[in-house]
Amino acid sequence: MTSRAQSRFGRLAPSLVFSAFLFVTACATETTRQPAPISTGTPGQTRSTPDRVQQPEQPDRLTLDERRSLHAGGFDVDANGMPLPEEGAFTPEFLADRDLVRAGVLLPFSHPNAGVRAEAEGMLAGIEMAMFDHAHDNFVLMPKDTAGSRSKAVEMAKQAQSQGADFFLGPLFGDNIAGLNETRSLAGLPIIGFSNDRGVAGGNTWLASISPEEEVAALVEYATSQGFRQFAYFGPQSALGNRIESALQFEASQHGASVVASGFYPDGSNSPTSEAQYLARSINSAEQYGGPIAVLIPESGTQLRKVAPLLAYYGIRRSVQLVGLSGWNDESVWREPSLKGGWFVSPPQEDLDAFATRYQRIYGRAPTRLAAQAYDAAALTMQLAADGELERDEILGGDGFVGLNGLFRFTSDGNAERKLSIYEVTQDGNSSLLNRGAETFDPGIG
C-alpha cells in the first residue's frame, strides 16, 4: 500500500487495533439455557433470562487524535505510520506478552461508490464500539481494504492470514465472499460475512446479515396469526425482488395461505401504473371471494412513497393490509398517507435507538445501515473467541444470542435465523410496536 493510501485511510476510517477494558457475560452452561446475551458484565456471570444489550459508559465524542490514542495504529500501518509486516503474526508492542486473538476485517474502504465507502467506515465504527463493550485485552483487529473487488478481497485475506488472523469479519459483498470460499489456502479460517446472498454461506462461512427471507418469514407468520390467508406482491422485477416474491410464496404455503397475485414492475420505475391497475383489480376480486389480503411492497425511501399510493389510486379496498420489510423503518416515509396503518418488520427498535445515540455521541454522525449488524457480529466473535479460538460448535450454539438486532443464531447452512418484531405506521406519522420478536427459539429446532 502506498504512503498516499495510508494517509487517506488514516483520515477517513475509525480505529485499527486496540485493547479493550470491558468484559463480556459468559454463556450459561446449564443443560437448558437461555440465549447468551451479548452484554457487558463480570466474566462468568450467568442470568436466568436473556438481557437486553446494556449500554456501558463511553467517552463523549472522540476527536481523530483521541481515537488514535486508543489504538496501536491505523489501516495497515503501525503507530509510527509504517506498514504492518506482510509476513509473521502482527503483535502490537504493548501486547507482546499475550496470546492474541486476531480478526481480519475485510471491508471496501476505497470502493468507487461514496455510499459504500461510508458504509464500510460505519461498519468498522460499529466493530470498534463492540471492542469497547466486549473484547478481552488479548484481541486485536486488522482492517484490510477490499475495495469491493473479488481479487483484492482474496489478496487482503491472504495478507491478514500471513499476519496471524484467526478469522475474518467481512467481506461485505457476496462475490468477494465466494472468492474467499474458493481459495484453498484460506480453508479452515471462519468467515463472518455481511452479504445477504445465501448462496455463499456454508462450510466455514456464516452470514451475519438480516436476509429478506427472514424478514418475509416474520411478516407472514404475524399476518397469518391475525387471520390473513391471502397475500399479494407489488414490487420490482429484479434479482432481489424475485427472491422476496419467492420467499412470500414459500412462507405463505408453509402457513396454509397463498399468494393470489404478483405485480412486478421494472426495477426503479417511478410510476408503474399498468402494473398497479392489474394488481388492484386482482386483489379486489380475490378479496371478494377469499377474504382479507396483505400486500407486500418491498420498497423503501422515495421509491416507496412513489409506488405505494398507486394501489389506492386504482381502487384497492380499504380493508387491504399493506405490509413491508425493514426498508419501511424510516421516519421519512411514515407520513405518506397510503402507508398509515401499514405493518413492517424490523429488529427491536429500543436497543437500536440506544446504539444510535451512543454512536452519534462518539463519532459525531448517525450510524450507517449496517453498523449495528457489524457490532453484533463482532461482539459475538469476541465473546466466543475469548478462550483463544473461534470454534464451529460455539458459532452454532443452538440457544442463540441476544444482540442489538434481537435474538439470532447461526444455522448449519451458514445463515442467521432471527426473531424480528412487527411495527405499525400510526395515523400521526410515527410507528408503534405490534409484536415483539421472541426471546427464545423453539426447543429442539436448529
Side-chain angles (χ1 to χ4, degrees):
M1 183 178 292
T2 66
S3 59
R4 181 179 179 183
Q6 293 162 5
S7 174
R8 177 169 173 246
F9 291 130
R11 289 198 309 271
L12 291 178
S15 68
L16 170 68
V17 183
F18 61 101
S19 61
F21 51 86
L22 293 175
F23 295 86
V24 296
T25 302
C27 299
T29 57
E30 293 86 353
T31 302
T32 302
R33 302 196 306 272
Q34 295 287 348
I38 300 178
S39 57
T40 58
T42 305
Q45 178 183 357
T46 61
R47 294 182 171 93
S48 59
T49 58
D51 293 327
R52 310 312 307 164
V53 177
Q54 297 176 6
Q55 309 298 342
E57 287 299 318
Q58 289 193 358
D60 288 335
R61 179 174 175 176
L62 298 177
T63 66
L64 179 59
D65 287 341
E66 288 169 335
R67 290 212 308 272
R68 284 174 174 165
S69 74
L70 295 172
H71 318 318
F75 274 84
D76 295 320
V77 295
D78 65 18
N80 298 312
M82 299 300 293
L84 295 179
E86 295 192 3
E87 298 295 336
F90 171 62
T91 304
E93 184 176 349
F94 68 93
L95 296 176
D97 61 340
R98 293 173 187 162
D99 185 12
L100 299 183
V101 176
R102 302 173 181 85
V105 180
L106 307 175
L107 292 171
F109 300 107
S110 66
H111 193 277
N113 183 287
V116 175
R117 294 196 301 272
E119 187 63 72
E121 293 169 21
M123 293 173 73
L124 185 57
I127 293 170
E128 175 177 290
M129 291 176 69
M131 287 284 287
F132 271 112
D133 294 353
H134 303 288
H136 287 246
D137 58 4
N138 66 336
F139 197 99
V140 294
L141 298 176
M142 298 187 296
K144 302 291 181 181
D145 177 26
T146 67
S149 160
R150 180 186 180 115
S151 60
K152 187 71 171 178
V154 172
E155 176 189 350
M156 290 296 98
K158 288 182 176 179
Q159 186 181 106
Q161 181 187 40
S162 72
Q163 294 169 356
D166 296 290
F167 62 91
F168 300 114
L169 291 170
L172 175 58
F173 300 120
D175 182 61
N176 292 187
I177 296 173
L180 269 62
N181 291 341
E182 295 168 9
T183 303
R184 182 172 298 181
S185 63
L186 298 173
L189 285 181
I191 299 168
I192 311 296
F194 297 104
S195 169
N196 65 11
D197 179 359
R198 291 188 160 198
V200 300
N204 279 322
T205 298
W206 289 269
L207 300 183
S209 55
I210 301 176
S211 73
E213 287 84 0
E214 283 294 309
E215 294 188 2
V216 171
L219 200 54
V220 170
E221 180 178 20
Y222 179 73
T224 54
S225 75
Q226 301 303 302
F228 287 88
R229 292 296 179 268
Q230 296 191 108
F231 293 85
Y233 171 90
F234 186 51
Q237 179 80 63
S238 64
L240 180 57
N242 291 339
R243 275 180 65 186
I244 293 171
E245 197 269 349
S246 294
L248 182 63
Q249 294 272 6
F250 174 78
E251 293 298 336
S253 68
Q254 294 294 104
H255 289 81
S258 63
V259 177
V260 297
S262 293
F264 288 95
Y265 50 79
D267 192 15
S269 174
N270 290 329
S271 185
T273 56
S274 60
E275 295 86 352
Q277 285 178 296
Y278 154 76
L279 193 64
R281 288 195 301 267
S282 300
I283 289 171
N284 287 340
S285 175
E287 186 183 44
Q288 182 178 357
Y289 297 105
I293 295 178
V295 183
L296 173 59
I297 306 177
E299 294 282 16
S300 61
T302 301
Q303 184 69 0
L304 175 60
R305 294 197 300 270
K306 288 178 178 178
V307 302
L310 291 174
L311 294 178
Y313 181 81
Y314 287 109
I316 61 167
R317 294 186 173 91
R318 293 188 177 184
S319 55
V320 170
Q321 178 68 52
L322 298 186
V323 298
L325 305 184
S326 57
W328 285 33
N329 190 13
D330 175 1
E331 293 181 9
S332 71
V333 305
W334 295 341
R335 293 194 180 278
E336 164 54 47
S338 62
L339 297 179
K340 302 258 176 97
W343 302 339
F344 65 90
V345 63
S346 174
Q349 199 60 37
E350 179 182 345
D351 290 333
L352 291 177
D353 287 345
F355 171 77
T357 299
R358 295 172 58 215
Y359 188 108
Q360 179 77 43
R361 188 181 75 236
I362 294 169
Y363 297 106
R365 59 183 184 271
T368 57
R369 184 174 63 90
L370 299 179
Q373 291 180 33
Y375 177 103
D376 279 354
L380 175 59
T381 58
M382 290 166 189
Q383 176 173 317
L384 297 182
D387 60 357
E389 294 182 272
L390 184 62
E391 298 180 346
R392 180 181 179 84
D393 288 347
E394 292 178 322
I395 294 174
L396 292 174
D399 299 304
F401 307 88
V402 180
L404 295 174
N405 291 279
L407 178 66
F408 71 103
R409 63 180 174 185
F410 289 114
T411 56
S412 58
D413 64 0
N415 290 291
E417 180 183 0
R418 295 179 180 273
K419 294 297 184 182
L420 301 171
S421 297
I422 306 296
Y423 291 82
E424 181 179 34
V425 180
T426 60
Q427 295 299 317
D428 61 355
N430 290 299
S431 68
S432 64
L433 179 66
L434 290 179
N435 186 64
R436 177 177 287 279
E439 295 193 342
T440 59
F441 286 104
D442 294 335
I445 299 177

